[in-house]
Amino acid sequence: MADIFDAYALADAWDEMFERPGEVRAAYEPVLAALQPIEPGELRFRADQMARSFTDRGVTYAFAGEERPWPLDLVPRILDAVEWDFVQRGVGQRVRALESYLADAYGPCRAFEDGVVPWRLLLGSPHFHRAAHGIEPPGGVRIHVAGIDLVRDEAGAFRVLEDNVRVPSGVSYVIENRRAMTRVFPSLFDGQHVVPVDGYAQRLLAALRAAAPERTADPRVVVLTPGPGNAAYFEHALLARLMGVQLVEGHDLVCRGNRVWMRTTRGEVPVHVVYRRLDDDFLDPLHFRPDSVIGCPGILGAATAGNVTLANAVGNGIADDKLLYTYVPDLIRYYLREEPILPNVESYRPDEPGQLEAVLDQIDRLVVKPVDGAGGQGIVIGPKADARTLERTRKAVAADPRGFIAQRPVALSTSPTLAGDRMAPRHIDLRPFAVNDGDSVWVLPGGLTRVALQEGNLIVNSSQGGGSKDTWVLAEGPVEGPSRTAGDGPPPPVVPRQLGPDGTPALVPEGARQQ
Amino acid sequence: MNDVILSRIAEALTWTGRYVERADATARILDAYLHRMLEDPWRDEDMACRSLYAILGMDAGPAPVDMQQVLDQLAFDARSTGAIEGALGAARLNARSAREAVSSAMWECLNATWHALAEQRRAARRTGPYGYLELVRSRAALFFGLADSTMSRDDSWRFVVLGRSLERVDMTVRLLSVRVLDAAHAPDWPTLLSASGADEAYARVYGGFGDTPRVAEFLLLDRDFPRSALHALTTAEECLAALGRPRQDPARRPIGRLRTRLEYLDTHALEEQLPPLLKDLQTACMASAEAVAERFFPYQGPVVWAREGT
């Protein structure tokens, strides 16, 4: 029988499933055993079934102007308990350090005075908003939700690729991926202790309610979306539905007397916490883009007055500036007095003396990234770029050293992915999601694993045609769920079923009874 | 936490209910007509098709009309909310913009229907429209069944039901109007009954068909049949009563008035009263829908430019 892993040739990178050709890592043994006997045609069938169900349920994303089913690969990506513990502690630490940085940058500016971070980093950032100055967020939380992008390098070590503390998206796909996998491929889960991911919305709601202005007894939380035209609208709607809160658009809100209200069939009702899925620039036409019609005029004034909480806070962009990224290990040491758990990818800062020349000299061996690029846009991978692109990049970096960072290219780890009717290694990354309620940072077990579907490609963003994988965190023991032994009461009484008139089930005709 | 609903959502819910009901009713009417035409070889296709257009309030144009044109314009046209496909597309968009208010099951029903329509439309070109119309009817039933079994009986649900009820009165009245105003080319009474899905219920009450104005009585006045005008008006009125409290509700008044008129109507005089009655029913539904929009969906108000520090 043909084996779908027959032609699986390891790439020049860490492979998630195989230690060496033919030698599978322990965590993957049951999955491999379940997958191996399956015919390629059967896998294709399940993949098509999954795509169809995504289409029907509207779990789609826009690619090249077309509505496509969310691309989920059938092979899960697995993290064992030890790996996950390491990742979640690292992510939590990172979020705490970035919170401290934001509070500092919009407050006393100690890190700048002490020379840990240069002043120009702050003042030169396009995301440094004067309007955010003086907003003291309840509980001191500015990062309610974070998505920290990680990759695994050639040696198998996790490294941070970038921090997203503005409006990180993708968590709905974590939830949907799990749902789809358990339906299409239940046998894969047999005997595995996969930690569930469905607690996210409740955690998020609790964090958002905890972030409400202090004098609010029963805070009303809403999700603010740009509308159905937005690529992430599906996610906005899912989160609102799972949390049981209203999904509002800008024109559903009105600001009056420095408070935010929403227009309902019973008149205007007050809103206390806005989980906004709009960039700063579109949020309030009074402060930012006056042409924005998807925001709500006056909402920033209400936030400044302390009457409404915006989650995430305005001005967080200074913390996910990629130049700041290069300072995060120092910030962890400075604010938390801890050693960084997750290392960065080795990076250059062209705006520092001497480093610009180093970058320009070896630009064909580096990855160059614009500091505020999103979705993989504007990234130039030196070893794969042609001479003209390199020349253009060299000029751009020389003209605006503050606008770029450069990094050593990392061969992202690979994972077996269905390509045609065979398994082939494809590069992946990982975006864990963290929720901060002010007391602690909770990291959703797993996160979004994205896959570069073209062979050798290192860019995994779905806006660039990437796919995804269900990401499993394995618990060491059985997963804790609602306990069945907790009540310890007597078993419920057994009520006899109602039967037909003559004591037999009414629909079984005489003579058809089993002998 | 969802003790209130956004005006925008309420409007989307109302229109979702209306559009699904419209698609369903249109599918029934087309099916009944097509059946009739196949079974009656002496029927004038052009005239019958014209009466169909008249029922649905659309212009047939000067050229002769055939069944294919009817299907293209009244079923497959995705750009017109007067056609099945356009109505379902609009229902899907409305439900999509109210996705946290409708249940997932309802949204998925509309979305899956939308994707399934294309396939059925292609099949209809080869094997006739039955599968297509059947799909629309069964999905509409599924949608409202899901609304009934997955939504709380709160205001969100009431807006869906209100939209459905107002549309239902409108479609029933349209069916009867053609029969009354243009009897020569209108469908016969049995066709009317089956277009309303009422043939079996009618037979149960009156026994057999019979070419009689009793059909009109049944479709207008029956208390128990859910597609009768009286039943739909009663439902709409109940929704409005639960939604609002003002003593003189401009949304409730016109349909309440009509409902009482129907309740106390002298059925012997029904036939001669029909033309003005049907007109009044349509006017009342329109007036009520406008008042609902004015009262509950006023979100398109002027943008309020708040000043800082006020």
Side-chain angles (χ1 to χ4, degrees):
Chain A
M1 188 171 65
D3 182 337
I4 47 172
F5 285 94
D6 270 352
Y8 194 79
L10 293 183
D12 229 359
W14 174 277
D15 191 82
E16 299 283 341
M17 189 185 272
F18 294 99
E19 215 164 321
R20 269 178 285 281
E23 198 171 318
V24 68
R25 295 183 198 278
Y28 279 90
E29 272 168 14
V31 163
L32 183 67
L35 282 173
Q36 217 153 16
I38 298 178
E39 290 286 338
E42 171 67 16
L43 278 183
R44 226 343 95 208
F45 170 74
R46 294 199 196 209
D48 292 346
Q49 218 182 359
M50 195 136 71
R52 197 189 168 117
S53 116
F54 278 138
T55 304
D56 281 351
R57 289 184 302 127
V59 187
T60 54
Y61 71 106
F63 181 71
E66 201 185 300
E67 205 179 324
R68 293 205 185 166
W70 174 249
L72 170 59
D73 182 65
L74 288 170
V75 186
R77 187 260 183 92
I78 304 179
L79 297 159
D80 67 30
V82 178
E83 283 174 321
W84 176 247
D85 180 58
F86 176 77
V87 167
Q88 73 162 0
R89 282 188 296 118
V91 167
Q93 180 189 52
R94 195 117 181 150
V95 173
R96 284 183 289 126
L98 290 170
E99 276 283 16
S100 302
Y101 172 72
L102 283 169
D104 194 16
Y106 288 112
C109 295
R110 276 171 41 222
F112 305 100
E113 301 285 355
D114 290 347
V116 183
V117 193
W119 277 105
R120 61 194 151 78
L121 187 76
L122 181 62
L123 304 176
S125 168
H127 301 292
F128 181 59
H129 293 311
R130 286 173 159 282
H133 238 295
I135 300 186
E136 189 46 52
V141 181
R142 287 181 173 81
I143 304 173
H144 304 83
V145 180
I148 309 292
D149 288 350
L150 307 177
V151 298
R152 212 203 265 264
D153 67 14
E154 299 82 352
F158 279 103
R159 287 175 183 274
V160 179
L161 196 61
E162 64 180 65
D163 307 290
N164 298 283
V165 295
R166 278 175 283 175
V167 280
S169 68
V171 72
S172 58
Y173 298 120
V174 176
I175 298 166
E176 284 297 329
N177 282 355
R178 179 63 49 83
R179 224 196 262 190
M181 283 294 282
T182 52
R183 284 176 192 178
V184 174
F185 231 140
S187 59
L188 223 49
F189 290 82
D190 282 350
Q192 306 259 41
H193 303 306
V194 183
V195 184
V197 295
D198 53 7
Y200 181 82
Q202 289 317 309
R203 291 275 188 167
L204 177 61
L205 181 61
L208 293 172
R209 287 174 65 95
E214 272 159 32
R215 48 198 174 281
T216 316
D218 185 18
R220 184 181 293 279
V221 177
V222 298
V223 176
L224 175 60
T225 175
N230 187 272
Y233 181 72
F234 162 75
E235 173 155 313
H236 308 160
L238 180 81
L239 291 177
R241 204 169 56 237
L242 291 180
M243 291 195 287
V245 306
Q246 266 89 9
L247 179 66
V248 304
E249 296 175 15
H251 54 252
D252 295 320
L253 298 179
V254 55
C255 295
R256 191 173 296 121
N258 262 341
R259 289 176 187 279
V260 180
W261 310 80
M262 62 179 182
R263 297 174 161 128
T264 79
T265 54
R266 309 223 173 212
E268 292 174 0
V269 300
V271 170
H272 307 104
V273 181
V274 178
Y275 179 44
R276 48 93 172 215
R277 298 296 301 257
L278 250 60
D279 286 338
D280 288 357
D281 283 354
F282 296 93
L283 199 53
D284 188 340
L286 285 182
H287 283 275
F288 304 113
R289 297 176 56 144
D291 58 334
S292 168
V293 291
I294 54 179
C296 171
I299 198 168
L300 212 57
T304 313
N307 292 328
V308 73
T309 303
L310 298 175
N312 290 347
V314 168
N316 278 9
I318 59 165
D320 60 18
D321 181 315
K322 290 198 180 66
L323 183 54
L324 182 87
Y325 157 90
T326 64
Y327 291 92
V328 175
D330 294 335
L331 294 177
I332 292 173
R333 294 186 192 98
Y334 177 72
Y335 290 119
L336 309 179
R337 304 191 184 288
E338 294 171 12
E339 270 308 301
I341 297 169
L342 290 166
N344 275 7
V345 174
E346 300 89 337
S347 308
Y348 289 93
R349 303 166 184 149
D351 82 325
E352 265 186 19
Q355 300 213 7
L356 175 62
E357 292 69 29
V359 169
L360 295 181
D361 283 351
Q362 47 175 338
I363 203 157
D364 55 337
R365 276 172 283 152
L366 295 175
V367 177
V368 179
K369 295 178 173 178
V371 293
D372 59 354
Q377 279 167 354
I379 294 180
V380 175
I381 298 172
K384 301 200 170 182
D386 57 35
R388 271 183 54 206
T389 311
L390 285 176
E391 194 46 43
R392 205 176 52 228
T393 312
R394 200 176 276 133
K395 276 191 186 137
V397 176
D400 177 20
R402 169 67 178 86
F404 296 89
I405 64 165
Q407 293 178 325
R408 169 178 83 79
V410 178
L412 316 188
S413 62
T414 55
S415 173
T417 302
L418 188 63
D421 59 0
R422 282 285 182 282
M423 290 297 166
R426 291 289 182 265
H427 294 294
I428 59 172
D429 77 347
L430 176 66
R431 173 179 287 185
F433 291 90
V435 175
N436 184 5
D437 66 6
D439 290 329
S440 63
V441 177
W442 175 77
V443 186
L444 173 68
L448 180 60
T449 293
R450 295 177 296 180
V451 191
L453 291 180
Q454 270 95 42
E455 191 176 353
N457 196 345
L458 291 171
I459 310 248
V460 295
N461 303 69
S462 57
S463 52
Q464 312 262 330
S468 77
K469 280 171 174 290
D470 188 18
T471 308
W472 294 4
V473 169
L474 299 185
E476 265 169 342
V479 181
E480 266 190 51
S483 170
R484 291 192 192 287
T485 53
D488 277 344
V494 177
V495 182
R497 297 268 296 274
Q498 282 191 331
L499 302 176
D502 60 353
T504 58
L507 289 177
V508 178
E510 209 64 33
R513 258 179 267 167
Q514 305 241 346
Q515 299 295 309
Chain B
M1 290 185 77
N2 268 323
D3 48 336
V4 293
I5 43 174
L6 293 170
S7 300
R8 175 175 57 81
I9 299 293
E11 185 170 26
L13 291 172
T14 310
W15 282 103
T16 306
R18 277 200 91 132
Y19 285 136
V20 175
E21 177 69 18
R22 184 178 298 173
D24 178 48
T26 309
R28 286 169 190 288
I29 292 170
L30 286 181
D31 196 32
Y33 256 84
L34 293 171
H35 239 84
R36 210 49 224 159
M37 249 182 286
L38 292 176
E39 286 169 9
D40 181 359
W42 291 282
R43 185 162 288 246
D44 179 341
E45 189 172 348
D46 178 53
M47 290 317 284
C49 291
R50 281 178 188 282
S51 98
L52 237 179
Y53 274 87
I55 287 181
L56 300 172
M58 293 170 80
D59 186 12
V65 192
D66 62 8
M67 275 324 293
Q68 194 53 52
Q69 186 190 333
V70 166
L71 287 173
D72 284 342
Q73 273 183 279
L74 302 181
F76 306 146
D77 186 355
R79 290 159 308 173
S80 158
T81 53
I84 291 173
E85 205 138 327
L88 284 177
R92 172 178 177 257
L93 289 183
N94 274 287
R96 185 170 184 228
S97 72
R99 249 177 100 170
E100 95 291 4
V102 300
S103 66
S104 303
M106 289 163 73
W107 151 251
E108 283 162 27
C109 168
L110 285 182
N111 195 41
T113 304
W114 177 250
H115 289 295
L117 275 183
E119 203 175 303
Q120 286 294 342
R121 188 188 334 112
R122 279 190 294 274
R125 302 237 180 253
R126 282 182 287 122
T127 56
Y130 178 76
Y132 180 93
L133 299 174
E134 175 59 25
L135 175 80
V136 173
R137 284 192 321 220
S138 61
R139 291 303 173 88
L142 179 61
F143 176 79
F144 286 122
L146 287 169
D148 280 349
S149 60
T150 61
M151 286 182 88
S152 279
R153 295 302 186 267
D154 56 9
D155 284 358
S156 298
W157 178 78
R158 289 188 190 105
F159 279 110
V160 175
V161 175
L162 175 66
R164 176 181 68 182
S165 307
L166 290 178
E167 185 72 21
R168 196 168 269 185
V169 177
D170 182 66
M171 289 304 263
T172 303
V173 169
R174 281 177 189 282
L175 258 181
L176 287 173
S177 297
V178 187
R179 179 73 216 166
V180 171
L181 305 175
D182 180 23
H185 301 105
D188 50 26
W189 291 108
T191 305
L192 280 190
L193 276 175
S194 73
S196 300
D199 40 3
E200 289 174 12
Y202 176 87
R204 219 179 271 268
V205 175
Y206 292 108
F209 282 123
D211 212 6
T212 147
R214 266 205 235 157
V215 173
E217 189 184 328
F218 186 76
L219 288 179
L220 282 178
L221 303 181
D222 194 86
R223 263 168 226 286
D224 301 326
F225 183 65
R227 281 177 196 280
S228 81
L230 178 60
H231 195 282
L233 280 177
T234 310
T235 311
E237 206 190 347
E238 283 165 3
C239 288
L240 284 168
L243 282 170
R245 281 164 296 260
R247 211 169 293 161
Q248 287 291 320
D249 184 350
R252 197 175 152 189
R253 201 187 314 130
I255 54 175
R257 205 180 274 155
L258 253 296
R259 200 248 316 142
T260 8
R261 188 164 145 200
L262 289 184
E263 295 217 46
Y264 297 103
L265 200 70
D266 178 3
T267 49
H268 297 293
L270 179 63
E271 212 170 348
E272 63 257 35
Q273 285 188 32
L274 261 182
L277 181 63
L278 292 174
K279 195 161 168 288
D280 290 350
L281 269 166
Q282 257 176 329
T283 320
C285 284
M286 270 158 76
S288 177
E290 275 165 23
V292 165
E294 202 166 304
R295 166 134 176 256
F296 293 111
F297 319 144
Y299 68 93
Q300 294 291 20
V303 174
V304 181
W305 289 85
R307 291 192 168 278
E308 265 183 296
T310 54

